[in-house]
Amino acid sequence: MLSEFSGVQGQFQLLCDERSNLLDTLRQLEAANIEAEGSGINDGEYQLLKHEYRNLARQKYSEWSTTESSDDVEKQELEEASDEEELHFFDTNEYFHEPTLGSESIDIDQMDDCMRLGKQTNNVCKSDAKGDVIDPRFPHFERRKKLPDPIEKEKGVSLWSMIKDNIGKDLTRVCLPVYFNEPISSLQKCFEDLEYSHLLDQAYEHGKAGNSLMRILYVAAFAVSGYASSEGRHCKPFNPLLGETYEADYPEQGIRFFSEKVSHHPTVIACHCEGKGWKFWCDTNLKSKFWGRSIQLDPVGTLNLEFDDGETFQWSKVTTSIYNLILGNIYCDHHGMMHIRGNRDYSCKLKFKEQSILDRNPHQVHGFVEDAMGKKVSQLFGKWDDSMHFVNGEGSGNAKDRSEEASLLWKRNTIPPNLTRYNLTSFAITLNEMTPGLKEKLPPTDSRLRPDQRHLENGEFDKANSEKLRLEMRQRMSRKLQEHGWEPRWFQRDGEGPFRYTGGYWEAREQGKWDGCPDIFGEITQDLINSLEGS
């Protein structure tokens, strides 16, 4: 026994020596970094040296690993990138500890464009101390950092007991207690897709400088970034009432957003957003099916983006599935193909990899940009809940082999410290905030004035439930309103095409004139019932 203990002690001492040597090596590397900054050493050489040190560290510690076999470490899942080629999936966090300057495959003209845009895009991409993106071009606006503290203690409810009789049905018609909602509406959730609107600002600047390839790469990153906020979000947003609206004026991001529920059956939400040099609009609907242990959400509708120079892009969202509704940890996954179609030089195809039961590295996204002739000119890869990178050129098809060349397009903002069971992002926490002086300017149809949603945010759960039941009674009246010729106030449909914003909202807000905007959250009166029965 003493001899065995002596052997273990010797191995432990050797491991401590290796650790000490590794720390010395890392200190030397840090010193080399400081010297490199002072002497102007090429950043690519420094990154290569740094990568070699990391590989050395992995080799040293893999010898002492007792948690994984060497086969497990080397194993990589393969997934189709298209019908003709395959890509390795890998963890971007492992290979991209910090962004590199760019790709060697970018041609000289593109490099000149990137250098010329350096100051502009750096202004757009600056981060604060917490890592969140800020934009010094726009005024600073202080918004809340957390939700109000709940007044009451929450009461748990079994989801299975509520939906077990609705297997195979459309869950948009199933009335659930307020416990299963998060304190924002579907109108506000549409605005969450614009959290990383600075990516469209960068796309605009690159296109303005003549770099169409970088423009579509940032558009693709924007299309993926909209899914980041869904990680850990297990509650459903409130279903808006017919005619309910939501406005978002965010001068600190240089954007103004507006949305309205334009149809009750089917449920259709239309939105319109204007930024610096671009417009974004869409009308969306969700087809949902409940399969016992999971819910499948298939989005219907097209997202549209138009830049001031006339270049447009269109794409549709991928399928979302929510698993483990009965047993285990609930989680959501996004999967399917996303095709971003442009009206000029480039288009993009992205594949959201469906997560398997034993997947050690979920949420993978990869794809490519191709020109008008069908030639692949750039590869994209990353994770929808973390970051996206690109490498210019057609490449070998193996993203891992070219990771050193890759450049960062987008990285998710930091998670807020004051998490509740809703797991709202810092951006989502601000959506239902009633800032000083705002209430007086809002129309009576705005989501912030919805009483059940406000009670839920304040933690008044009994009041929220009773108000939700009352408003659902009004919701059932909406079908009659729509059948008798009800029309949206701010959007109009051109034939069978999408709903488009007709204008006039912000002008009416400026004048405080809300003619034609009913009190949709008010009490149900006998006059209202009689008018519906008589129509």
Side-chain angles (χ1 to χ4, degrees), residues 41-55:
I41 292 178
N42 181 275
D43 184 70
E45 296 177 5
Y46 166 69
Q47 294 290 345
L48 182 59
L49 180 64
K50 186 175 178 182
H51 185 69
E52 290 173 354
Y53 276 125
R54 283 184 181 139
N55 287 339

Side-chain angles (χ1 to χ4, degrees), residues 126-285:
K126 264 182 195 173
S127 298
D128 60 16
K130 296 180 180 178
D132 295 336
V133 174
I134 58 175
D135 193 332
R137 296 175 306 163
F138 302 122
H140 177 69
F141 196 96
E142 191 65 32
R143 299 189 184 271
R144 67 182 180 182
K145 301 293 189 292
K146 60 189 285 294
L147 294 178
D149 294 327
I151 296 173
E152 302 171 8
K153 187 176 180 180
E154 263 183 326
K155 301 173 183 177
V157 182
S158 169
L159 178 60
W160 175 244
S161 67
M162 301 300 303
I163 61 178
K164 62 183 179 180
D165 297 326
N166 296 285
I167 295 177
K169 297 181 181 179
D170 184 354
L171 284 188
T172 58
R173 304 193 183 191
V174 178
C175 297
L176 297 174
V178 76
Y179 176 82
F180 298 109
N181 288 99
E182 59 184 8
I184 61 174
S185 72
S186 295
L187 295 167
Q188 293 165 314
K189 199 166 182 66
C190 284
F191 184 51
E192 276 201 83
D193 286 352
L194 277 298
E195 176 175 358
Y196 300 95
S197 61
H198 68 276
L199 296 172
L200 297 183
D201 295 339
Q202 290 176 272
Y204 168 73
E205 294 293 346
H206 279 291
K208 187 178 176 182
N211 195 334
S212 299
L213 177 57
M214 288 303 299
R215 170 174 280 187
I216 193 171
L217 285 169
Y218 275 105
V219 170
F222 170 78
V224 174
S225 70
Y227 293 96
S229 63
S230 64
E231 175 64 7
R233 299 274 286 276
H234 304 143
C235 297
K236 67 185 289 290
F238 280 87
N239 184 21
L241 275 64
L242 185 65
E244 187 173 335
T245 63
Y246 176 70
E247 68 160 65
D249 187 6
Y250 276 52
E252 68 271 33
Q253 291 184 227
I255 57 175
R256 288 202 307 186
F257 172 92
F258 179 73
S259 57
E260 180 182 9
K261 182 172 180 178
V262 295
S263 172
H264 183 59
H265 281 296
T267 297
V268 179
I269 292 172
C271 70
H272 179 88
C273 185
E274 296 182 6
K276 183 181 180 299
W278 53 267
K279 294 178 182 178
F280 172 84
W281 72 92
C282 67
D283 60 11
T284 58
N285 178 23

Side-chain angles (χ1 to χ4, degrees), residues 50-107:
K50 186 175 178 182
H51 185 69
E52 290 173 354
Y53 276 125
R54 283 184 181 139
N55 287 339
L56 176 63
R58 291 193 189 100
Q59 293 167 8
K60 292 294 185 184
Y61 279 93
S62 64
E63 296 173 8
W64 301 99
S65 174
T66 58
T67 57
E68 292 182 308
S69 68
S70 58
D71 292 338
D72 288 335
V73 173
E74 292 296 324
K75 184 178 179 182
Q76 295 285 345
E77 283 196 358
L78 295 175
E79 184 74 8
E80 293 183 359
S82 64
D83 295 336
E84 303 173 349
E85 67 175 21
E86 293 183 341
L87 278 173
H88 283 279
F89 289 95
F90 60 100
D91 191 347
T92 51
N93 284 330
E94 181 180 355
Y95 292 94
F96 301 108
H97 293 272
E98 53 187 58
T100 58
L101 284 179
S103 168
E104 292 178 3
S105 56
I106 301 178
D107 60 35

Side-chain angles (χ1 to χ4, degrees), residues 466-481:
S466 61
E467 282 293 328
K468 188 170 189 286
L469 290 173
R470 181 182 69 83
L471 291 177
E472 281 173 352
M473 190 177 297
R474 290 196 66 124
Q475 187 82 294
R476 285 189 282 273
M477 298 177 180
S478 298
R479 188 162 192 169
K480 269 198 168 184
L481 285 173

Side-chain angles (χ1 to χ4, degrees), residues 357-406:
I357 297 176
L358 301 177
D359 201 340
R360 294 190 307 157
N361 194 21
H363 307 164
Q364 296 284 345
V365 181
H366 68 90
F368 54 85
V369 174
E370 59 184 7
D371 61 19
M373 303 301 294
K375 180 183 177 182
K376 295 173 186 174
V377 294
S378 190
Q379 290 179 288
L380 298 100
F381 42 87
K383 303 173 78 170
W384 54 257
D385 66 332
D386 180 70
S387 60
M388 287 297 292
H389 297 77
F390 78 96
V391 179
N392 277 340
E394 186 171 356
S396 62
N398 189 338
K400 178 180 175 181
D401 292 344
R402 305 186 67 195
S403 60
E404 292 180 17
E405 307 173 33

